[in-house]
Amino acid sequence: MNEKEKDLPLYLEKLQALERRLSPNHPRYQTVVESYSRSIAGYKGEKSLDYYLSFLSKDNYTVLHNIRLHNGVYYFQIDYLLITEKYILLIEVKNYAGVLHYDPHFHQLIRTMNGKEVALPDPLSQIERQKFQLLTLLTKRKYPYTPIETLAVISNPLTILKTSNNQEDISRKLIHSGNLARRLKEIDDKYKETRLSSKEIKNLSKYLLKINQSVKLDILEKFNISQQELLTGVQCPACGALPMKRLHGKWLCQICKNKSKNAHQIALRDFSLLINETITNKEAREFLRLDSDATTKRILTSLNIPFTGVTKDRRYYIEM
Ligand SMILES: [Zn+2]
């Protein structure tokens, strides 16, 4: 499977860093914690699909994961994009729990959980919009016409799916992840004509990965938190306490007495995730809570990271 290798999405890493750098007494701390646990659940739901997709032959399917595209006006994101020589398949993954009832008349998904009914965004309309966007993009790039299929997959195996009678088209579009293989086979059987050569497939996936835009999200702005509200200092990798003290070329935790040689690396990465991807000596000195410019410079130089500028104006590029 030619999957785009993917670690934790940047957005989740930013949330994690923000949680680390906020005091539990901060008025927005709880919101950040809740947002993180919601996002990680969604991410795990998506990842669970990898298992089902791992059975696909990589000769027949090119699988791209979490592709973020720009159509010239705004961004749209596709959880999974499968390219075959006969069709393209878009998959939207939802980890909704409870009992879901799809109402085709009003295009809404109604969830019943703990005796309460709520309307959720309709994944079928959502994925139709993505299909339209992709189609526009492919036409613009003059790719040969290729049918685009769509599926909304519920990743939670305990979720119950319901729809009104005679809604077979809905049950073909909205499925449990366990039914993915069977549904893929049906889609495969439906198409006979070859639309894309293996060269075109390679070219298309390369193009999509190239324009794949990762979210340059300013997380502090999103939660309306200023840089001054963040906790500074090097965090102890053993107990999480802040700040560690620099002593004889090492970091010492004042709480658990743990010693570390490179605990500053995580702190600098936090800086880059939350504040800026480049850092000056002065900024690093303040953020790491160091006493001297010389020590700060020694630490930054020891990282062997690229920089621009000379002496005081030098900016180091914190590698991600
Ligand atoms: Zn400690």
Side-chain angles (χ1 to χ4, degrees), residues 93-276:
V93 188
K94 296 289 183 207
N95 73 322
Y96 298 147
V99 176
L100 301 177
H101 186 275
Y102 189 80
D103 170 7
H105 305 295
F106 295 106
H107 294 280
Q108 55 185 354
L109 195 60
I110 300 156
R111 166 163 70 186
T112 313
M113 208 162 77
N114 307 325
K116 261 195 222 150
E117 268 193 355
V118 278
L120 299 169
D122 171 16
L124 297 186
S125 308
Q126 193 184 343
I127 203 153
E128 280 309 306
R129 282 196 297 273
Q130 292 170 2
K131 172 181 167 174
F132 177 75
Q133 305 287 1
L134 183 65
L135 208 58
T136 313
L137 203 129
L138 296 181
T139 317
K140 234 191 247 170
R141 296 285 300 182
K142 300 199 167 52
Y143 279 100
Y145 169 76
T146 313
I148 301 179
E149 286 276 340
T150 59
L151 279 180
V153 176
I154 303 295
S155 58
N156 186 335
L158 301 177
T159 302
I160 296 169
L161 296 176
K162 288 180 173 176
T163 183
S164 329
N165 290 336
N166 304 322
Q167 294 296 338
E168 250 186 69
D169 47 330
I170 303 290
S171 60
R172 277 201 296 266
K173 295 255 176 205
L174 179 65
I175 63 166
H176 266 301
S177 46
N179 286 332
L180 185 62
R182 192 176 50 83
R183 190 66 197 104
L184 271 175
K185 170 89 174 56
E186 284 170 8
I187 297 173
D188 265 344
D189 291 345
K190 188 168 139 191
Y191 294 106
K192 309 283 176 223
E193 201 178 320
T194 298
R195 307 279 185 168
L196 296 168
S197 67
S198 56
K199 198 176 156 197
E200 279 166 332
I201 293 176
K202 218 178 247 172
N203 179 295
L204 174 59
S205 72
K206 230 168 99 182
Y207 171 68
L208 291 174
L209 287 176
K210 199 182 101 193
I211 60 169
N212 179 36
Q213 314 266 350
S214 62
V215 213
K216 286 262 179 199
L217 172 80
D218 184 338
I219 194 105
L220 294 187
E221 193 183 287
K222 186 184 154 81
F223 287 95
N224 193 19
I225 293 169
S226 73
Q227 191 185 327
Q228 288 69 34
E229 293 169 76
L230 298 178
L231 302 173
T232 55
V234 169
Q235 195 169 29
C236 170
C239 77
L242 274 165
M244 293 183 96
K245 215 178 145 112
R246 186 78 179 170
L247 214 64
H248 311 304
K250 278 191 184 138
W251 295 99
L252 172 71
C253 176
Q254 298 168 90
I255 305 294
C256 76
K257 308 294 167 206
N258 168 54
K259 278 181 200 154
S260 165
K261 257 189 117 91
N262 51 15
H264 53 267
Q265 288 179 3
I266 301 167
L268 289 172
R269 184 159 166 75
D270 282 353
F271 186 93
S272 123
L273 287 165
L274 301 173
I275 300 162
N276 196 346

